[in-house]
Amino acid sequence: MNIQIRERPDAAASAGIKTAIADCDIHPARATKDELHPYLAKRWHSHLETFGVHPYQGMMEGPPYPKAQPNASRRDAYPPEGGPQGSSLSFMQKQHLDPNNVALGVLNPLNTGQGIRNQDLAAAICSAINDWQIEKWTSKDSRLKGSVVVANEDGVAAAAEIRRRAGDTNFVQVLLLSRNVEPLGQRRYWPIYEAAQEAGLPIGVHAFGFGGNPITASGWPSYYIEEMVGHSQCQQTALASLVLEGVFERFPKLKMVMVEAGFGWAPSLAWRLDKVFARLHAEVPHLKRKPSEYIRDHIWWTTQPMEDPESRDHLFQIIEWIGWDKLLFATDYPHWDYDEPSRVLPAGVSDANRQAFYLDNAKQLYGIA
């Protein structure tokens, strides 16, 4: 499969960012397939060696159309010591964190066991991933903060893992995926939201995942480009479910971040929800406000991949509706569709909005001093 790979930005481009930034979507990788073994009980070593992970059970190993590693990441992101892109802290520091002046980097690990049908195995791998994030990444670079990975289809186990990590400053959010067995507003996931609210942790809903269903509402598409565009559709389904099922009414302090699915669709989704809600409010009497109000109050958005209309005025109109205070800058490092920090925002953005966009919104959301 031929995918356009973005090469490493030149020094002049990177030098364009002189102030500190927050990168709210960094993907760390494991250097070897056995790297999690120190964090897993020995029973799981033999289990994985004997049975492996069923190809339809893992987050990135199910039917979604493959990016086909190593094409998922930048060709220039291979560490000099070997291993896949994103697996070396020292090279990440040299290539991304230092030259781009990253003051806060939020780790969103993929291939984590989320979605595995063997829920005991899923919980074990997720917990191991969390220990691995501390040992390999956050304890060695204070700029990096982890996401609590949970066995998303086992609400009780997921809630227990969140409570286990509550108060640990190595973590700033809980990580879920947009494609699950059911839409995210369903009550099977409510223990996760209860524990996250209790711990004061936002929930990041990242693109991808596999719950056993086609990746579109109409079945399976033909091309990877449809997979990429489909992320926004999955996020819309998840967000509509969260609002209409009353998650934010039930958990009024819960904060969520929509990660790596754009945000240009947010106003139209909110407008349509409000219009239909005006006629069908009787069906969802547990909602005390318009859907758009819940979205405005509870949802943040990462910028990668940010929509790029021909008229930047159109982009600014969307951002004005969302609010400059609800956007979190993200690069998606080290993946192929990485956004270079100095080239994301055009001219005409005020200094205050630029500062909020690149750093302050993330610091405020994640409680970083």
Side-chain angles (χ1 to χ4, degrees):
M1 176 174 59
N2 258 333
I3 296 178
Q4 180 182 357
I5 308 294
R6 296 192 181 186
E7 302 294 345
R8 181 176 179 178
D10 57 36
S14 293
I17 293 295
K18 294 182 171 33
T19 59
I21 67 172
D23 184 350
C24 296
D25 191 24
I26 296 175
H27 295 297
R30 302 193 289 278
T32 68
K33 69 175 184 177
D34 299 331
E35 194 166 288
L36 285 187
H37 279 197
Y39 316 104
L40 285 168
K42 287 187 177 180
R43 63 163 290 202
W44 296 118
H45 298 189
S46 58
H47 178 99
L48 290 170
E49 182 178 346
T50 303
F51 302 104
V53 176
H54 189 279
Y56 293 151
Q57 290 183 334
M59 190 288 279
M60 295 292 286
E61 296 154 306
Y65 293 79
K67 294 192 216 180
Q69 287 282 5
N71 287 339
S73 298
R74 293 164 44 179
R75 291 195 186 107
D76 67 329
Y78 281 107
E81 65 268 34
Q85 302 99 315
S87 64
S88 167
L89 173 59
S90 61
F91 190 64
M92 181 185 292
Q93 291 166 333
K94 180 181 178 181
Q95 185 179 49
H96 177 47
L97 301 181
D98 295 342
N100 287 318
N101 202 4
V102 177
L104 168 63
V106 180
L107 303 176
N108 289 320
L110 302 178
N111 297 304
T112 59
Q114 289 184 307
I116 293 177
R117 297 298 187 265
N118 182 335
Q119 294 186 359
D120 290 336
L121 176 59
I125 293 178
C126 288
S127 184
I129 287 285
N130 295 332
D131 290 336
W132 168 80
Q133 287 184 81
I134 297 173
E135 177 68 22
K136 183 172 180 177
W137 302 94
T138 62
S139 67
K140 292 181 167 58
D141 192 320
S142 61
R143 295 172 291 184
L144 297 178
K145 298 295 180 181
S147 297
V148 180
V149 180
V150 297
N152 52 302
E153 301 299 351
D154 185 345
V156 174
E161 180 68 12
I162 293 169
R163 292 188 172 102
R164 181 171 166 244
R165 308 290 176 173
D168 187 337
T169 57
N170 286 290
F171 299 98
V172 293
Q173 69 178 2
V174 176
L175 185 63
L176 294 178
L177 302 170
S178 59
R179 295 170 181 160
N180 302 273
V181 168
E182 296 182 283
L184 278 177
Q186 296 293 319
R187 298 190 183 199
R188 67 187 295 155
Y189 305 114
W190 284 19
I192 299 172
Y193 309 142
E194 180 180 31
Q197 178 177 265
E198 179 185 303
L201 289 172
I203 292 178
V205 179
H206 196 285
F208 285 108
F210 180 62
N213 304 306
I215 63 174
T216 80
S218 303
W220 297 101
S222 300
Y223 303 108
Y224 178 61
I225 187 173
E226 294 175 271
E227 158 92 355
M228 291 296 290
V229 173
H231 291 323
S232 62
Q233 299 165 14
C234 293
Q235 293 275 31
Q236 290 181 64
T237 298
L239 183 52
S241 175
L242 288 160
V243 170
L244 297 176
E245 293 285 350
V247 168
F248 300 121
E249 193 63 45
R250 180 66 176 263
F251 306 106
K253 295 182 180 179
L254 187 65
K255 300 174 181 179
M256 304 193 84
V257 185
M258 300 288 116
V259 185
E260 201 175 320
F263 55 82
W265 47 268
S268 60
L269 175 67
W271 296 333
R272 181 169 291 275
L273 283 171
D274 282 356
K275 181 175 182 177
V276 178
F277 176 76
R279 293 168 170 80
L280 297 176
H281 188 187
E283 186 186 20
V284 285
H286 50 276
L287 298 186
K288 309 304 180 186
R289 298 187 292 159
K290 295 190 298 184
S292 61
E293 295 178 17
Y294 292 107
I295 293 173
R296 285 177 181 270
D297 288 350
H298 292 271
I299 304 300
W300 279 253
W301 317 81
T302 65
T303 58
Q304 197 285 328
M306 187 160 69
E307 286 80 2
D308 192 19
E310 290 186 14
S311 170
R312 283 303 174 116
D313 288 341
H314 296 163
L315 177 63
F316 290 157
Q317 289 169 6
I318 293 171
I319 295 176
E320 290 296 335
W321 185 93
I322 290 171
W324 280 97
D325 60 329
K326 293 300 181 73
L327 288 182
L328 308 176
F329 174 69
T331 65
D332 197 31
Y333 180 88
H335 290 170
W336 67 275
D337 48 355
Y338 166 90
D339 276 355
E340 160 56 37
S342 66
R343 299 173 180 170
V344 170
L345 282 183
V349 180
S350 71
D351 290 344
N353 285 341
R354 188 175 290 270
Q355 176 71 18
F357 173 88
Y358 277 117
L359 183 63
D360 290 351
N361 293 343
K363 288 174 61 178
Q364 182 175 4
L365 174 64
Y366 294 124
I368 304 296

